Amino acid sequence: MTEPHVQSEVGPLRSVLLHRPGTELKRLTPRNSDQLLFDAIPWVDRAQEEHDAFAEVLRERGVEVLLLRELLVEALQDSRARAAAVLTCVDELKLGADTADTLRSHLSGVDDAALAEVLIAGMTFEELPAAEGQSLVRRMHHPHDFAIEPLPNLLFTRDSSVWVRDRVAIASLAMPARRRESALTDLVYAYHPRFSRSPRAYGAHSAPVEGGDVLVLAPGVVAIGVGERTTPAGAEAFARSVFADDLAHTVLAVPIEQTRASMHLDTVCTMVDRDAVVMYPAVQHALCAYTLRPAGGELKVSGPTPFLTAAAEAMEIDHLRVIDTGLDPVTAEREQWEDGNNTLALAPGVVVAYERNVETNERLEEAGIEVLRISGSELGSGRGGPRCMSCPITRDPLPELP
């Protein structure tokens, strides 16, 4: 068992947190998919097959794969975790006092696996436990309405937590459909024996920051995308936190377009080697960064300057090699939408990518990057690739550049 520690995006990956999709995806319908942030209704059995294959690729490369559901069940063995879990998922303002009391009593009596299933997959009104007396709340809701919302986006474990060195930052998720993910992830880190002693770097009750916007470019250098999901206040608060804990000497706040296609920084740029990124060419020259550094207990902000220049300077390298998404503007736009930039590095120069992004993968290989291709026809329906689906827990230190 390796101790949590992450100082880069590309150091050899030793331990990673994934979530195998389950019943929560079966809750998606054309009626609720927009609200739950999915662009299509996934074929769940195929999504599970694709995820199993993804996990196996990691294991074959010597990566320890931790599954969130299993960790949650183990954490719920602690009575404090069970109490916290029930508290976070039962919304009395939505259910009313009587129905909420009935549901809390019911959940307090189920076993750990059943409680974990409800926390992840949610519960409809027709699934609520029977209760005596009349309830206007029950009668006025459709049986298939959610008494407890499902968490289909839990698949994207990158977003709800980030490790910086030996500390974990619990993300503050911006979208209503995802906010309970932070509480569930927080519960695992607080009560699972493997993580209960791990110090924190950021709290879920702070300003919005999502893990897909956080790139640990090099030891001491963190880039944070600011756009649809992470706010300027979140980026500043995160920077102050990592500076106070001496986890970084430079934070780059990177404005990105606030659209569905570029919801996080890692949808337009990820690292594939210690000095190389794959990047959507439409933003390459427009992407800029504000440089944040600590200054005697205060914050020094400079810029904006071109992102690639600011990143290379902070990383103390001559320049970042840039590998373009796609082959031409149309292909680049298509493959950026299909998560062509959203690669997961297993080591310097070795990445996992969706097989459908043919041109981007060929460009990576031409640049000397080994590409491990996985299928993502169903996994990608929530707009996320291999990086989105993985939260690195432990990476080895970076080897020295020749």
Side-chain angles (χ1 to χ4, degrees):
M1 183 172 66
T2 56
E3 292 295 322
H5 201 274
V6 175
Q7 280 193 293
S8 74
E9 289 291 311
V10 299
L13 185 61
R14 297 302 175 207
S15 182
V16 68
L17 178 64
L18 307 183
H19 172 62
R20 185 178 190 266
T23 306
E24 68 279 5
L25 288 192
K26 295 181 180 180
R27 304 287 201 185
L28 291 164
T29 68
R31 180 168 55 91
N32 64 31
S33 59
D34 284 348
Q35 176 187 348
L36 294 174
L37 309 179
F38 269 68
D39 293 323
I41 309 302
W43 177 10
V44 179
D45 289 348
R46 180 59 56 83
Q48 290 174 329
E49 291 174 4
E50 291 174 351
H51 195 272
D52 291 343
F54 172 43
E56 189 57 30
V57 166
L58 302 184
R59 293 187 183 104
E60 288 175 352
R61 291 297 178 118
V63 180
E64 178 192 24
V65 174
L66 304 175
L67 295 176
L68 183 59
R69 184 186 301 267
E70 294 178 1
L71 296 181
L72 178 59
V73 172
E74 292 165 357
L76 289 172
Q77 294 174 16
D78 189 312
S79 60
R80 297 170 299 170
R82 289 183 63 88
V86 172
L87 182 65
T88 61
C89 73
V90 179
D91 183 355
E92 187 169 315
L93 294 179
K94 176 179 181 178
L95 300 177
D98 290 344
T99 302
D101 283 344
T102 299
L103 183 52
R104 279 192 288 260
S105 177
H106 168 72
L107 293 178
S108 296
V110 302
D111 64 30
D112 297 334
L115 180 55
E117 176 68 8
V118 171
L119 293 172
I120 294 170
M123 179 177 279
T124 63
F125 275 88
E126 71 175 356
E127 294 168 343
L128 287 173
E132 296 180 359
Q134 296 290 316
S135 170
L136 180 65
V137 175
R138 288 182 184 239
R139 294 190 66 172
M140 292 193 69
H141 274 283
H142 188 279
H144 294 162
D145 287 345
F146 295 121
I148 300 174
E149 298 285 332
L151 300 177
N153 294 280
L154 202 61
L155 169 66
F156 306 120
T157 56
R158 175 73 62 158
D159 291 335
S160 58
S161 65
V162 178
W163 288 85
V164 183
R165 261 183 22 204
D166 63 342
R167 291 177 178 255
V168 62
I170 305 299
S172 177
L173 300 174
M175 307 301 282
R178 303 200 64 182
R179 286 174 187 159
R180 198 162 55 81
E181 292 177 45
S182 292
L184 191 150
T185 305
D186 196 0
L187 185 150
V188 169
Y189 287 130
Y191 295 106
H192 193 282
R194 179 160 181 165
F195 304 110
S196 60
R197 297 180 183 175
S198 298
R200 302 300 180 89
Y202 193 78
H205 301 294
S206 305
V209 172
E210 299 198 357
D213 279 319
V214 180
L215 276 63
V216 184
L217 300 179
V221 182
V222 177
I224 304 178
V226 179
E228 185 189 46
R229 305 293 179 88
T230 296
T231 65
E236 180 175 308
F238 193 98
R240 290 183 183 277
S241 178
V242 297
F243 292 154
D245 293 330
D246 197 27
L247 303 177
H249 56 73
T250 304
V251 170
L252 304 176
V254 185
I256 57 175
E257 187 178 3
Q258 298 189 39
T259 66
R260 178 69 168 155
S262 56
M263 71 182 84
H264 291 131
L265 180 58
D266 68 6
T267 62
V268 296
C269 173
T270 53
M271 292 197 70
V272 295
D273 204 343
R274 59 173 304 151
D275 64 344
V277 295
V278 58
M279 179 178 284
Y280 183 36
V283 305
Q284 179 175 333
H285 299 294
L287 210 61
C288 65
Y290 293 86
T291 300
L292 284 67
R293 291 192 172 96
E298 299 298 323
L299 197 64
K300 179 182 178 181
V301 182
S302 59
T305 55
F307 167 70
L308 293 171
T309 301
E313 179 184 338
M315 297 166 68
E316 298 182 346
I317 60 176
D318 290 338
H319 67 280
L320 271 170
R321 293 185 291 136
V322 178
I323 302 162
D324 288 345
T325 316
L327 182 64
D328 54 70
V330 173
T331 305
E333 185 176 0
R334 285 170 54 87
E335 297 201 358
Q336 187 273 330
W337 175 254
E338 298 289 3
D339 303 301
N341 300 292
N342 197 261
T343 60
L344 170 66
L346 302 191
V350 181
V351 301
V352 181
Y354 280 152
E355 63 184 356
R356 64 186 176 218
N357 294 307
V358 175
E359 301 295 347
T360 301
N361 292 340
E362 288 183 357
R363 279 184 177 268
L364 287 165
E365 289 176 330
E366 289 169 359
I369 307 300
E370 181 183 0
V371 180
L372 307 175
R373 293 166 171 80
I374 63 169
S375 176
S377 61
E378 301 302 315
L379 290 175
S381 57
R383 301 264 62 83
R387 187 181 192 274
C388 287
M389 295 188 296
S390 55
C391 175
I393 303 294
T394 306
R395 287 187 182 274
D396 287 347
L398 284 169
E400 294 293 328
L401 279 171

